[in-house]
Amino acid sequence: MGVRAADPDFWALVQVGAEAKPVCSGFVFTEGPVWHPRDRVLIFSDIKGDARYRWRDGSEVRRILSPTRQANGLTLDRDLNLIACEHLSSVVARFRPDGTREVLASHFEGRALNSPNDVVCGRDGSIWFTDPTYGRTPPWGDGREPELDFRGVYRLPPGHVPGAEPELAVPRDMFRQPNGLCFSPDEAWLYVDDTVAGTIHRFPVQPGGRLGEGALFADRIAEPDDRPGVPDGIKCDETGNVWVTGPGGVWVYSPDGVKLGEIDCPEPPANLAWGGDDG
């Protein structure tokens, strides 16, 4: 266990000899970590455990909701409402601080979404999410047949009416299984990874929030490598480096797509998040 540099710039990001250490355990399949800046807690999903938890440093982890319709990806909007991607219901939902649930998106072109997976919010109030089929595919999902014949990436524009159909943000045949997504710090770029293809694509965000033509940012993330782990969760740090789950743990790339290094993890990670008072 430890960290390994592929480029000397890696040591500006992590300490030599650093290790990833578990802070809580006993779950089935954890996902969707998001740090709540006001409550100072980490909120995360246990998909197959069908529960949502929060963890605060120095105290026990606490279950805050069950069932969750096997929620996966989580994020917070500008008002600190929790946005959740639900596998079993195939919707993107918003949860108010009082627990009120509101469906934001459920269908595209009159057909049910596959199983919204990961979600981010833009500073303009837009909401972006990926829609692979994992929530319908055993062993992760319940075996429902998809109604859509593609796996998309979608946008809910600012002022989106809850329940209205989302906008398709990328070409229909762009991804095999789009999964994690994140913005660069200035929101000039949107990154989307594809678990099956083992790739990350990067899209310029144009005025008005539309995406320009995407380009390959990184590939062969899961090949040829026999260690468990795939591209799934992805985040940018404050200087634009891209951190993505991969074989063995977390892989780190520079904003130019140069692989900087790897962080070993005690279990194959499915997602990651920045949090705590120090980020």
Side-chain angles (χ1 to χ4, degrees), residues 178-262:
N179 199 324
L181 75 172
C182 68
F183 282 111
S184 62
D186 58 3
E187 297 193 4
W189 300 95
L190 181 73
Y191 295 87
V192 182
D193 67 41
D194 188 321
T195 298
V196 173
T199 59
I200 301 171
H201 277 75
R202 184 171 72 170
F203 301 84
V205 182
Q206 300 176 334
R210 308 289 178 170
L211 296 182
E213 183 176 356
L216 184 67
F217 175 79
D219 65 352
R220 299 179 63 82
I221 297 174
E223 299 176 7
D225 199 315
D226 59 2
R227 294 175 296 169
V230 294
D232 189 337
I234 183 172
K235 296 289 188 295
C236 267
D237 64 23
E238 61 185 3
T239 58
N241 300 298
V242 177
W243 303 58
V244 63
T245 62
V250 176
W251 293 20
V252 186
Y253 293 85
S254 74
D256 298 324
V258 175
K259 185 178 179 182
L260 300 180
E262 300 179 14

Side-chain angles (χ1 to χ4, degrees), residues 1-4 18-20 227 247-250 262-267:
M1 302 299 297
V3 292
R4 289 182 300 281
E19 292 187 5
R227 294 175 296 169
V250 176
E262 300 179 14
I263 300 171
D264 293 331
C265 294
E267 299 176 71

Side-chain angles (χ1 to χ4, degrees), residues 67-121:
T68 65
R69 303 168 184 84
Q70 293 192 0
N72 186 342
L74 306 172
T75 195
L76 297 167
D77 67 15
R78 294 180 299 180
D79 299 319
L80 297 183
N81 299 303
L82 186 71
I83 311 298
C85 293
E86 297 179 352
H87 273 187
L88 288 185
S89 62
S90 293
V91 310
V92 177
R94 175 168 56 205
F95 290 81
R96 305 286 187 182
D98 64 2
T100 302
R101 175 180 176 269
E102 185 175 37
V103 173
L104 298 179
S106 61
H107 289 72
F108 180 71
E109 295 181 344
R111 291 175 288 177
L113 296 169
N114 295 318
S115 59
N117 190 287
D118 206 359
V119 58
V120 294
C121 293

